[in-house]
Amino acid sequence: MNKVERLLNLTATLLHTTRPLNAEELRERVPGYPEGDDAFHRAFERDKEALRDMGIPISVEPIPFRDPPADGYRIHPGEYRLPDPGLEPDELAALNLALSAVRIEGVEGVEALWKLGGQVGEGGEHLAEVPSEPALVPLFGAVVECRPVTFTYRSGEQERERTIDPHRLDFQLGRWYVIGRDHGHDEERRFRLDRIVGTVVAGAPGSFERVTVPDDELGRPWEYGDADPVEVELLVDADQAGWARRYLGADVVADSRPDGSTVFRVPVRDWPAFRSFALTFLDHATVLGPPECRVEMIRWLEQLVGSGR
């Protein structure tokens, strides 16, 4: 279980408890904490600090009917949830995009806006490492103002001019993407910002109606591109297999092993994107094949170790 999932479980537990819970009770109810008392308490203290940094109010209160007295933790729903401010869809979309952009610069205080509907991708605790792209600013404005955009897009060795109605900017696994209707194909497509060559030219504002792109329709970064898909076999340990199955989707072939681990056969068009995804499991996942992908994964990891990253 990764830290994000553990923080979500901790928040849900503290939010729905009817009384304050002490650290040991939370240790039993929230999965994903390390073994050993010292390791648990260090991780628990870091998690509390992370939630408070995000603006989530964790209260420390006496546990009722305890002798000797003891304190516990809880989140009061009335303090956690803000009343609906009545934002219009375009205002909320602008807020979501603004949150993503502002967090790049590390501006303090934006965490309070998350409760209004802001969305940021994984890796939010490493704000300084979120990269920027030259196309980010003009695309940000185009999404907010419903302007079509035209740009040159590099795919492999080819460069083609694309015109799209940009609906959303997204940040996943270390890369920025723009999602919108491709005029040339008349369908929703995703484009990597680091493959945009030269200047982004924006059209007139209000040229199209805003389309909300649900999170579950965004797809996965390794699914996009013009290359033929390669089926990559990824072995995930038993304690991580459930999360991997939910994230990869029901359409991905998965074979469970007797020890609870699972081999996923994932169609991959963008290998670097999938390689980054596999790395999120650390030593709990192994690329089994095809051979060229396994060899390249080992070479890439050896380079990371050699560079001290």
Side-chain angles (χ1 to χ4, degrees), residues 40-59:
F40 161 71
H41 285 292
R42 287 195 298 269
F44 181 57
E45 291 300 319
R46 288 195 297 267
D47 286 356
K48 286 192 298 178
E49 182 178 354
L51 292 180
R52 284 169 173 153
D53 287 344
M54 288 187 281
I56 297 176
I58 301 177
S59 298

Side-chain angles (χ1 to χ4, degrees), residues 43 70 77 83 90 133 156 219 281 283:
D90 58 338
E133 295 289 345
F281 294 96
D283 57 347

Side-chain angles (χ1 to χ4, degrees), residues 57-281:
I58 301 177
S59 298
V60 181
E61 304 173 6
I63 301 175
F65 313 113
R66 279 294 179 95
D67 188 17
D71 289 336
Y73 307 91
R74 66 183 302 187
I75 298 173
H76 291 280
E79 297 177 358
Y80 175 76
R81 300 187 180 97
L82 293 178
D84 185 357
L87 294 177
E88 297 296 328
D90 58 338
E91 295 172 326
L92 186 58
L95 175 62
N96 288 335
L97 293 168
L99 280 171
S100 297
V102 170
R103 284 172 61 82
I104 297 174
E105 303 301 327
V107 176
E108 297 180 358
V110 298
E111 288 82 359
L113 296 179
W114 293 357
K115 299 177 183 179
L116 300 179
Q119 299 175 0
V120 293
E122 293 184 6
E125 61 182 309
H126 303 294
L127 304 184
E129 298 178 11
V130 176
S132 182
E133 295 289 345
L136 185 59
V137 172
L139 286 173
F140 172 86
V143 172
V144 173
E145 298 178 355
C146 296
R147 295 174 180 263
V149 293
T150 299
F151 51 80
T152 300
Y153 192 72
R154 183 183 71 254
S155 179
E157 300 298 325
Q158 296 183 335
E159 294 183 358
R160 298 178 182 175
E161 185 175 275
R162 302 292 184 101
T163 298
I164 69 169
D165 295 337
H167 297 151
R168 173 169 170 166
L169 285 168
D170 191 38
F171 183 78
Q172 288 192 19
L173 299 178
R175 290 192 177 93
W176 283 101
Y177 296 82
V178 60
I179 301 96
R181 185 183 69 87
D182 186 334
H183 290 200
H185 296 86
D186 193 27
E187 64 181 11
E188 199 84 8
R189 289 203 171 189
R190 166 184 293 217
F191 300 91
R192 279 174 46 178
L193 267 61
D194 63 332
R195 291 183 177 176
I196 294 177
V197 180
T199 304
V200 175
V201 179
S207 296
F208 60 89
E209 293 186 3
R210 186 179 309 283
V211 175
T212 300
V213 184
D215 289 338
D216 57 358
E217 293 183 8
L218 289 175
R220 289 96 185 163
W222 54 84
E223 296 176 343
Y224 292 89
D226 297 327
D228 293 332
V230 175
E231 186 177 83
V232 177
E233 293 187 351
L234 182 69
L235 172 64
V236 181
D237 289 352
D239 58 347
Q240 303 282 336
W243 181 87
R245 187 185 298 271
R246 291 192 298 272
Y247 188 85
L248 291 171
D251 54 335
V252 170
V253 176
D255 297 329
S256 296
R257 293 186 171 183
D259 62 356
S261 61
T262 302
V263 176
F264 297 92
R265 293 176 172 83
V266 187
V268 174
R269 295 180 183 272
D270 188 330
W271 164 248
F274 186 79
R275 181 182 63 187
S276 297
F277 167 72
L279 187 61
T280 62
F281 294 96

